[in-house]
């Protein structure tokens, strides 16, 4: 009505007939085609998504269109229209929760009112919003289409971010405990703060951290951490402008990290030796890109790194037969990154009833540096991933990463580790999936403080952590997964798994190498749905099978939080 009154006043000012002006307004208003209604609290983010991948689309005919209006719709944590979530406790949480400030969400957008955008930009912006800690899910919707103009609604689901953090990890005899408080959306600003105490088999630690992921709405980030532990410390300061979108043209970084810690070595899950390591890393870098061209983003980063490693005898256990040699490196480096803009929306693959951004294209990052002093080291690291098969009820993906040094004086590799993973998902029903996972790792001349291990949370869940050690390993897992619709107390989504693990390491038989180890087990999966914790709690019971198990057989409990099912 206010808009109509304004239009009528304007007509009077310009002495136009009132009837003609009213008809003109109506014609302009009717030229818009309604596409969607604003989302309600019960909005289901996965409703229009195929479980095995829906191509991102905004159902718009025009390649480019102009943003006429942007509205931000922050859905409450609990849906009070739902009988299951309409109770005194949940209503109280909705009332006292401090919602994300609207400007925080607007500043994460790659466009603004009046911008000319396309479907690719809107799709990417959805992915960026889903990466933020202050929302459990996000969607960008077209409300109205008015010729070449559109009205956009940005929908997010609020989560409770100020929580007393508590976690317990148990895996093959290694227990760890962590508790404290964290807020990943302090006062609704999107900034993250935390204070924690943790204890595990190696150390007790006090930790403080702060992160601002978007300083002054410039996409610059600041990360700081301070940790004091019983065996040392860990400090981090990182100030950067990352490549925050596929079309971003520049990036830079200033980073400093210092760590003092005890590194423990194992044999059949038992501690045998330890090494104290002082590590210091620094980096200054600058990145450039031509942006997204023909569906591919290519980036180049140039910079300078400093890495110092100093080793000493620990205070509780004896040292290995030979301490690692100290290492001091200062080297320029160049990094290349390539990302294919091939993404789809999915759910119930790695998460439980949550929108997943499924990458179907190749992603490659490769870095090389050279220190001309001393032994003249060539430093290499990187990773690559791709999707080999993606169709209804089937998904096959692989990835690899590597990190190591080539010593030119000795003509040999040092501290080099290469990992390869292959994952296959076969949908059986809308809720059941057969998962097959294969992993291989190869270590080349690791120093005496490091080990390539298998057991517990690293695979072979029926055995102690760090049970097997070797120069290479193979691991195969088969899981029958079930994604239920049940929510425990409306707070945790529930899933189940039955699994078999098979693994083998290669190397010295005295470390358990050169034979195959197996276990069977059952698992419970709990995915928090109302907090910012995007990880899934794994509770697994596993039992080793086969004969002549060093140390004997026992039922193992593995409790940990992982990024996926």
């Amino acid at each position: 009505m206010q808009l109509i009154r304004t239009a009528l006043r304007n007509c009077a000012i310009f002495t136009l007939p009132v009837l003609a002006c009213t008809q003109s307004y109506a014609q302009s208003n009717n030229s818009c085609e309604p596409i969607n209604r604003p989302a309600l609290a019960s909005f289901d983010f996965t409703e229009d998504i195929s479980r095995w991948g829906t191509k991102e689309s905004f159902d718009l005919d025009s390649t480019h269109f102009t943003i006429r209006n942007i509205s931000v719709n922050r859905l409450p944590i609990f849906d009070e229209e739902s009988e299951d979530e309409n109770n005194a406790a949940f209503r109280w949480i909705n009332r006292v929760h401090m919602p994300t400030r609207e400007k925080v969400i607007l500043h994460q957008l790659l466009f603004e009112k009046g911008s000319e955008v396309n479907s690719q930009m809107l799709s990417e912006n959805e992915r960026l919003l889903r990466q933020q800690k202050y929302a459990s899910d996000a969607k960008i919707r077209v409300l109205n289409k008015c010729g070449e103009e559109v009205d956009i609604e940005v929908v997010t689901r609020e989560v409770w971010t100020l929580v007393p953090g508590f976690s317990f990890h148990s895996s093959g005899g290694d227990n760890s405990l962590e508790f404290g408080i964290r807020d990943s959306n302090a006062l609704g600003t999107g900034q993250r703060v935390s204070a924690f105490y943790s204890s595990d088999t190696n150390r007790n630690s006090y930790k403080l951290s702060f992160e601002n992921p978007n300083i002054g709405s410039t996409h610059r980030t600041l990360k700081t951490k301070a940790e004091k532990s019983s065996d040392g410390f860990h400090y981090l300061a990182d100030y950067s402008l990352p490549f925050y979108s596929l079309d971003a043209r520049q990036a830079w970084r200033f980073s400093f990290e210092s760590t003092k810690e005890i590194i423990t070595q194992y044999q059949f899950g038992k501690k045998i030796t330890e090494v104290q390591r002082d590590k210091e890393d620094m980096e200054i870098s600058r990145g450039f890109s031509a942006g997204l061209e023909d569906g591919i983003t290519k980036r180049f980063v140039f910079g300078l790194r400093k890495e110092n490693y100093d080793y000493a005898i620990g205070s509780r256990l004896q040292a290995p037969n030979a301490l690692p040699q100290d290492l001091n490196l200062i080297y320029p480096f160049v990094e290349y990154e390539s990302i294919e803009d091939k993404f789809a929306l999915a759910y119930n693959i790695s998460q439980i009833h949550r929108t997943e951004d499924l990458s179907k294209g190749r992603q490659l990052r490769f870095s090389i540096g050279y220190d001309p002093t001393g032994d003249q080291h060539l430093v290499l690291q990187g990773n690559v991933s791709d999707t080999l098969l993606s169709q209804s009820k089937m998904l096959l993906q692989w990835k690899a990463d590597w990190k190591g040094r080539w010593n030119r004086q000795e003509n040999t590799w040092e501290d080099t580790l290469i990992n390869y993973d292959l994952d296959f998902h076969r949908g059986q029903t809308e809720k059941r999936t057969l998962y097959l996972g294969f992993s291989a790792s190869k270590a080349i001349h690791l120093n005496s403080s490091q080990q390539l291990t298998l057991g517990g949370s690293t695979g072979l869940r029926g055995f102690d952590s760090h049970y097997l050690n070797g120069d290479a390993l193979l691991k195969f897992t088969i899981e029958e997964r079930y994604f239920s619709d049940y929510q425990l107390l409306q707070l945790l989504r529930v899933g189940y798994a039955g699994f078999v693990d098979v693994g083998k390491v290669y190397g010295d038989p005295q470390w358990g190498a050169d034979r195959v180890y197996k276990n069977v087990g059952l698992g419970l999966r709990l995915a928090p749905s109302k907090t910012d914790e995007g990880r899934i709690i794994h509770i697994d019971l596993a039992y080793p099978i086969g004969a002549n198990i060093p140390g004997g057989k026992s039922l193992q409990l593995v409790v940990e939080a992982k990024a996926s099912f």
Side-chain angles (χ1 to χ4, degrees), residues 31-32 60-68 114-117 144-151:
S31 66
C32 291
L60 295 166
D61 299 329
S62 178
T63 303
H64 292 81
F65 44 91
T66 302
I67 301 295
R68 191 180 76 155
S115 298
E116 186 179 85
V117 297
N144 302 297
K145 181 183 176 184
C146 311
E148 297 300 315
E149 294 185 322
V150 292
D151 296 333

Side-chain angles (χ1 to χ4, degrees), residues 195-220:
F196 274 87
Y197 169 80
S198 66
S199 176
D200 56 33
T201 56
N202 293 319
R203 62 186 60 85
N204 302 321
S205 304
Y206 297 90
K207 308 174 184 179
L208 296 172
S209 67
F210 169 80
E211 180 178 353
N212 187 336
N214 194 5
I215 298 175
S217 307
T218 61
H219 296 288
R220 298 175 183 176

Side-chain angles (χ1 to χ4, degrees), residues 306-457:
K306 178 181 179 182
E307 299 180 26
N308 288 343
Y309 300 85
D310 296 324
Y311 298 94
I313 298 174
S315 58
R316 294 170 294 186
L317 298 174
Q318 64 180 1
N321 292 333
L323 277 176
Q325 292 185 351
D326 294 344
L327 183 67
N328 298 300
L329 301 174
I330 300 179
Y331 58 90
F333 72 92
V334 60
E335 179 177 293
Y336 171 76
E337 184 176 25
S338 173
I339 303 174
E340 283 189 287
D341 184 25
K342 293 182 180 179
F343 293 89
L345 305 177
Y347 71 97
N348 279 359
I349 295 180
S350 297
Q351 299 290 318
I352 303 178
H353 202 73
R354 176 177 288 193
T355 305
E356 301 180 43
D357 295 299
L358 188 63
S359 174
K360 292 187 174 184
R362 176 172 296 179
Q363 299 188 21
L364 168 68
R365 184 184 63 84
F366 178 79
S367 172
I368 182 170
Y370 180 62
D371 184 349
T373 63
D375 287 341
Q376 301 178 15
H377 286 97
L378 198 66
V379 185
L380 300 100
Q381 58 181 310
N383 55 72
V384 60
S385 63
D386 201 357
T387 297
L388 302 177
L389 175 66
S390 177
Q391 62 184 50
S392 178
K393 298 185 178 181
M394 281 196 288
L395 179 66
L396 179 63
Q397 297 178 304
W398 71 276
K399 62 182 179 181
D401 63 82
W402 58 90
K403 184 176 183 180
R405 300 187 303 271
W406 173 257
N407 188 321
R408 290 193 61 192
Q409 289 290 331
E410 303 292 335
N411 288 324
T412 185
W413 290 102
E414 297 177 347
D415 293 334
T416 299
L417 183 61
I418 305 170
N419 300 304
Y420 178 87
D421 294 280
L422 185 67
D423 297 307
F424 176 71
H425 304 257
R426 177 66 172 93
Q428 298 161 308
T429 69
E430 280 301 302
K431 297 181 181 179
R432 287 195 298 115
T433 295
L434 177 66
Y435 167 78
L436 305 177
F438 171 78
S439 298
S441 296
K442 173 62 177 177
I444 306 174
H445 297 157
L446 296 182
N447 69 54
S448 59
S449 71
Q450 302 181 69
Q451 290 180 311
L452 181 61
T453 67
L454 187 60
S457 59

Side-chain angles (χ1 to χ4, degrees), residues 96-150:
V96 301
H97 169 67
M98 182 173 291
T100 306
R101 299 179 185 180
E102 184 174 302
K103 67 178 182 179
V104 172
I105 297 175
L106 290 173
H107 290 158
Q108 285 292 339
L109 301 182
L110 304 175
F111 54 86
E112 58 186 10
K113 186 176 178 179
S115 298
E116 186 179 85
V117 297
N118 54 33
S119 295
Q120 182 280 329
M121 184 181 293
L122 297 182
S123 298
E124 182 182 2
N125 221 147
E126 277 191 357
R127 296 196 298 271
L128 295 176
L129 287 169
R130 280 190 285 269
Q131 295 171 9
Q132 304 306 312
K133 294 285 188 178
Y134 47 72
S136 64
D137 216 328
K139 194 171 185 66
I140 297 178
R141 307 167 75 231
V142 177
L143 294 184
N144 302 297
K145 181 183 176 184
C146 311
E148 297 300 315
E149 294 185 322
V150 292

Side-chain angles (χ1 to χ4, degrees), residues 232-235 257-261 277-281:
F233 53 80
H234 177 216
Y235 301 119
E257 186 172 13
S258 181
T259 305
K260 179 180 180 180
E261 60 185 345
R277 182 179 71 179
D278 291 5
K279 179 182 177 183
E280 190 174 274
D281 294 321

